[in-house]
Amino acid sequence: MSQDRPENNEPSQQEGAQPGPQDQEPPRYGVRLPQGQQPQQPQPPAGDPTPYGHTPGQYPPPPPGAYGQPGQAGTPSGYGQPSPYAQQSPYQAPAGGMQPAGSPGSPPKQIMVAFGLILAAGALTLLTGIIMMATPVNELTRMLQEVIDSDATLRQQFEVAGMEVAALAQMSKTLAVVFMAIGVLLYALIAVFIRKGSNGARITGTVLAAISLIGLFGGDILSTVTVLLGAAGIVLAWMRPSSDYIRATKEVKRRR
């Protein structure tokens, strides 16, 4: 008894027939496509035929003003905007010679000239002290004796006191050198602190300059020049630019 062969209801593919689009697999990397066949493009999902609302295969145009393209009026370019990292560093000195916050600034010209004049007065005081130290006691004794002999009242007082002129000359020399050394130190301190904007140094210098004006009467030329230099320096220290600088220095110290 012969067995019936199973009927094959599926249509058999003919040799050399091309598969339909549904049966084609997407090409893989490294697989060579048959001649005349183009790779399939991925189809967008239903309901969104064009991603981002643009034609497939094209990129959306950049926004106006980006990458150097001209934008709307008043809209800066994307690369033309100032970078926040290009801002000025707080540790750099401001442009234009301005001083940073917390500094009174450079001393004005009046303060610098006053500083020089007061130092010059101190230098002349030092010179006077050196001359006094180099003067022999015998020469000082002779000078004092001439002064005493020229005044009868003064000569009588010396005779009553029994004071020797040589002892007075030695004591005068020692005191003069000590006071001149103190004067040099005071001139230097007042000049330095006025330059730093100290109001106390300016007031102290004013008092000392007023007292030194007494030396203008009957003093020698060196003493007169010394007094005038110191007084001129104090006058410059009271001018308006100097006062503004000292006031600013005081304000900075108060904030600290």
Side-chain angles (χ1 to χ4, degrees), residues 121 124 187 209 211-216 222-232:
L124 290 181
Y187 275 121
I211 295 174
S212 65
L213 291 177
I214 301 175
L216 293 177
L222 191 58
S223 299
T224 302
V225 173
T226 301
V227 171
L228 291 178
L229 287 175

Side-chain angles (χ1 to χ4, degrees), residues 4 18 62 113 127 140 166 210 223 227 253:
D4 295 335
Q18 296 292 336
V113 175
L127 179 61
L140 291 176
S223 299
V227 171
K253 291 180 179 179

Side-chain angles (χ1 to χ4, degrees), residues 54-247:
H54 298 285
T55 306
Q58 294 184 357
Y59 293 99
Y67 308 106
Q69 295 186 0
Q72 298 178 357
T75 303
S77 174
Y79 286 109
Q81 296 180 356
S83 173
Y85 300 99
Q87 296 179 357
Q88 186 177 12
S89 172
Y91 299 99
Q92 296 178 357
M98 298 178 63
Q99 297 292 331
S103 174
S106 301
K109 179 178 65 176
Q110 290 78 1
I111 287 289
M112 298 306 299
V113 175
F115 172 75
L117 291 177
I118 296 173
L119 283 184
L124 290 181
T125 303
L126 178 62
L127 179 61
T128 304
I130 293 175
I131 294 174
M132 180 65 67
M133 291 178 62
T135 304
V137 178
N138 295 335
E139 183 65 22
L140 291 176
T141 302
R142 185 186 63 79
M143 294 171 60
L144 286 175
Q145 190 64 51
E146 291 178 356
V147 173
I148 293 172
D149 293 340
S150 61
D151 190 346
T153 304
L154 184 59
R155 183 175 64 251
Q156 184 179 2
Q157 292 177 354
F158 264 85
E159 291 175 356
V160 172
M163 183 179 296
E164 297 181 358
V165 179
L168 179 62
Q170 181 63 46
M171 184 177 61
S172 299
K173 179 179 180 179
T174 303
L175 291 176
V177 171
V178 171
F179 280 111
M180 286 181 183
I182 295 174
V184 171
L185 182 61
L186 286 176
Y187 275 121
L189 290 176
I190 290 173
V192 170
F193 280 96
I194 284 180
R195 185 179 184 275
K196 292 182 177 181
S198 173
N199 189 44
R202 184 173 62 170
I203 295 175
T204 304
T206 303
V207 173
L208 295 177
I211 295 174
S212 65
L213 291 177
I214 301 175
L216 293 177
F217 303 98
D220 57 0
I221 185 64
L222 191 58
S223 299
T224 302
V225 173
T226 301
V227 171
L228 291 178
L229 287 175
I234 294 299
V235 170
L236 288 174
W238 282 100
M239 296 185 70
R240 184 170 183 177
S242 303
S243 298
D244 293 341
Y245 170 72
I246 291 175
R247 190 181 304 109

